[in-house]
């Protein structure tokens, strides 16, 4: 079974509909990024594989629902997002709480550096634990858009497709999320923003 | 890259003999949201058409030209306007606009549009379609059909009831017999027989037998005769 393929997502979908073995190509292509994503939005290391398995099984069952007008990865992230949120709710865990590694935190602020009002913050090195705690305090609706924008590097249009909200709402949530993050960082003495 | 996850997934798919759900199921699902949305806009449009008909019907029969003699038999004020707003149709319109909005949101790309835009488009579409329906007589037909049901009649302006008020100078019905003097007999919409005397000052329409008319005038309480001050054709 080839681990890499040059076929497009759409071709892989068509192949998987015809032959379930071909579905493994889709799994190979997306298991790593989706695994990171479900962990970031709150699944523990031990739960992540279970969530991911459910995501891919759900994807397989719904392959015929794929709309080629939509980016395949956006559709897949949407399924992963919904499945993770549902899984966390079943376990009475607040969804949308960012679970970030130290590398994630660094990467997050590198991405934020592009935003002028966070440039100074990004240039400094703060205690990753403090920053993580600040991020964890964000309301889920802000955490999920900030994750998608600054960690998954998704465009506004992709985030709109993943969360099924208008692009204008995505922009509003990102701006409010950044303000909320500034607020939580300020309560921990980080005010050079 | 390890193949463990891929194997587990394929194993689950094979052991459960899972297959992708057929495309037609998704087509039916997505089409049904559009059908709900379109049907809701159409029902909203029927509500608009019926409302337009009720308003136009009221002003056609409520504001005679030339103005009736005093005392004014019908107020043509904002209060009249507010009183004849058919709340039942306003509620139907609002409910179906809401259903249209929810249905549109559930279509494949409905989430991309702001709530306000979706509501605005649904409202404008219903009003435009409703105006077209009104011109085609859909409002009249719907109102006429539902008028048979007493609960509906009690909820909307009823032209028959509005012209069944002889004590305050309004009476309508069908002319059944005309005397040589010009006075005539009329059966109102409830089937009661009235003797009508045409006042000498009346310069408006003189009725023909079997025609349906509406009149402003006064009721002579002693004889029970209605004295017509102005007579108008009943236009429906």
């Amino acid at each position: 079974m080839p681990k890499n393929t040059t076929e497009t997502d759409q071709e892989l979908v068509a192949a998987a509909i015809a032959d379930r073995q071909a579905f493994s190509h889709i799994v190979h292509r997306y298991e790593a990024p989706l695994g990171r994503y479900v962990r970031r939005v709150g699944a523990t290391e031990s739960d992540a594989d279970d969530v991911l398995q459910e995501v891919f099984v759900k994807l397989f069952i719904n392959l015929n629902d794929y709309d080629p007008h939509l980016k395949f990865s956006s559709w897949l992230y949407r399924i992963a997002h919904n499945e993770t949120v549902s899984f966390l709710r079943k376990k009475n865990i607040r969804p949308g709480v960012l679970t970030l590694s130290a590398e994630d935190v660094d990467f997050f602020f590198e991405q934020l550096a592009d935003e002028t009002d966070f440039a100074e913050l990004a240039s400094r090195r703060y205690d990753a634990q403090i920053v993580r705690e600040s991020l964890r305090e964000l309301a889920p609706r802000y955490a999920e858009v900030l994750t998608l924008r600054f960690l998954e590097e998704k465009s506004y249009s992709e985030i709109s497709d993943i969360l099924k909200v208008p692009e204008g709402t995505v922009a509003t949530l990102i701006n409010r999320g950044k303000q909320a993050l500034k607020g939580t960082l300020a309560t921990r003495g980080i005010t050079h923003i | 890259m390890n193949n463990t996850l891929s194997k587990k997934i394929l194993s689950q798919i094979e052991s459960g003999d899972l297959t992708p759900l057929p495309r037609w199921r998704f087509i039916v699902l997505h089409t049904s949201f559009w059908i709900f949305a379109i049907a809701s806009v159409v029902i909203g449009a029927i509500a608009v058409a019926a409302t337009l008909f009720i308003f136009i019907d009221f002003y056609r029969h409520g504001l005679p030209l030339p103005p009736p003699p005093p005392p004014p038999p019908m107020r043509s004020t904002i209060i009249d306007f507010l009183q004849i707003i058919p709340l039942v149709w306003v509620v139907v319109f609002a409910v179906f606009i809401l259903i249209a909005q929810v249905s549109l949101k559930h279509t494949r790309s409905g989430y991309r549009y702001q709530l306000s835009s979706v509501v605005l488009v649904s409202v404008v579409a219903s009003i435009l379609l409703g105006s077209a329906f009104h011109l085609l007589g859909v409002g009249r037909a719907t109102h006429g059909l539902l008028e048979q049901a007493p609960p509906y009649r009690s909820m909307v302006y009823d032209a028959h009831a509005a012209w069944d008020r002889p004590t305050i100078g309004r009476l309508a019905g069908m002319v059944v017999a005309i005397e040589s003097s010009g006075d005539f007999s009329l059966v109102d919409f409830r089937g009661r027989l009235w003797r009508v005397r045409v006042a000498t000052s009346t310069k408006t329409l003189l009725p023909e037998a079997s025609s349906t008319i509406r009149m402003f005038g006064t009721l002579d309480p002693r004889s029970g005769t209605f004295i017509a001050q102005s007579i108008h054709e009943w236009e429906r």
Side-chain angles (χ1 to χ4, degrees), chain B residues 150-169:
Chain B
Y152 175 78
R153 276 208 304 274
S154 67
M155 286 188 283
V156 296
Y157 163 75
D158 181 354
H160 287 189
W163 286 91
D164 185 23
R165 308 288 298 278
T167 53
I168 63 163

Side-chain angles (χ1 to χ4, degrees), chain B:
Chain B
M1 186 182 296
N2 71 66
N3 288 329
T4 315
L5 182 66
S6 172
K7 280 180 184 162
K8 276 167 74 177
I9 291 165
L10 283 178
S11 161
Q12 187 179 345
I13 288 170
E14 277 169 10
S15 64
D17 198 22
L18 302 176
T19 52
L21 290 170
R23 183 173 292 278
W24 66 263
R25 282 183 60 160
F26 297 107
I27 292 171
V28 167
L29 179 71
H30 295 302
T31 308
S32 66
F33 285 121
W34 276 111
I35 289 171
F36 271 120
I38 292 167
S40 300
V41 169
V42 169
I43 293 172
I46 291 172
V48 170
T51 303
L52 283 173
F53 171 74
I54 288 167
F55 271 108
I56 290 168
D57 194 45
F58 172 81
Y59 283 106
R60 180 186 289 158
H61 294 132
L63 295 175
L65 291 172
M74 184 171 283
R75 294 165 300 156
S76 57
T77 62
I78 188 75
I79 295 167
D80 272 336
F81 183 85
L82 293 175
Q83 279 178 344
I84 59 162
I85 290 175
L87 285 178
V88 61
W89 286 118
V90 173
V91 170
V92 166
F93 179 75
V95 166
F96 280 91
I97 287 297
L98 183 69
I99 294 173
Q101 186 268 322
V102 171
S103 304
L104 285 169
K105 275 283 175 194
H106 282 85
T107 58
R108 273 190 190 276
S109 54
Y111 63 86
R112 290 183 183 156
Y113 306 100
Q114 295 285 355
L115 175 69
S116 54
S117 309
V118 176
V119 170
L120 186 68
V121 167
S122 307
V123 167
V124 169
S126 279
I127 289 174
L128 289 178
L129 193 61
S131 303
F133 279 177
H134 172 70
L135 295 175
L136 294 170
V138 173
R140 176 200 297 263
T142 307
H143 180 74
L145 191 69
L146 293 174
E147 236 179 358
Q148 313 302 320
Y152 175 78
R153 276 208 304 274
S154 67
M155 286 188 283
V156 296
Y157 163 75
D158 181 354
H160 287 189
W163 286 91
D164 185 23
R165 308 288 298 278
T167 53
I168 63 163
R170 294 196 298 255
L171 185 62
M174 182 188 282
V175 176
V176 289
I178 301 175
E179 297 169 12
S180 55
S181 63
D183 295 349
F184 57 90
S185 302
L186 173 138
V187 175
D188 69 15
F189 294 124
R190 285 201 282 167
R192 295 170 305 180
L193 183 67
W194 294 87
R195 185 165 190 280
V196 180
R197 196 169 77 226
V198 181
T200 49
S201 59
T202 301
K203 291 176 182 173
T204 50
L205 172 84
L206 287 175
E208 293 173 3
S210 300
S211 61
T212 304
I213 58 166
R214 60 197 171 89
M215 301 172 289
F216 293 109
T218 52
L219 179 66
D220 180 352
R222 283 183 303 171
S223 63
T225 301
F226 190 82
I227 301 159
Q229 301 289 347
S230 66
I231 301 171
H232 307 269
E233 193 181 346
W234 181 267
E235 301 158 352
R236 292 218 90 182

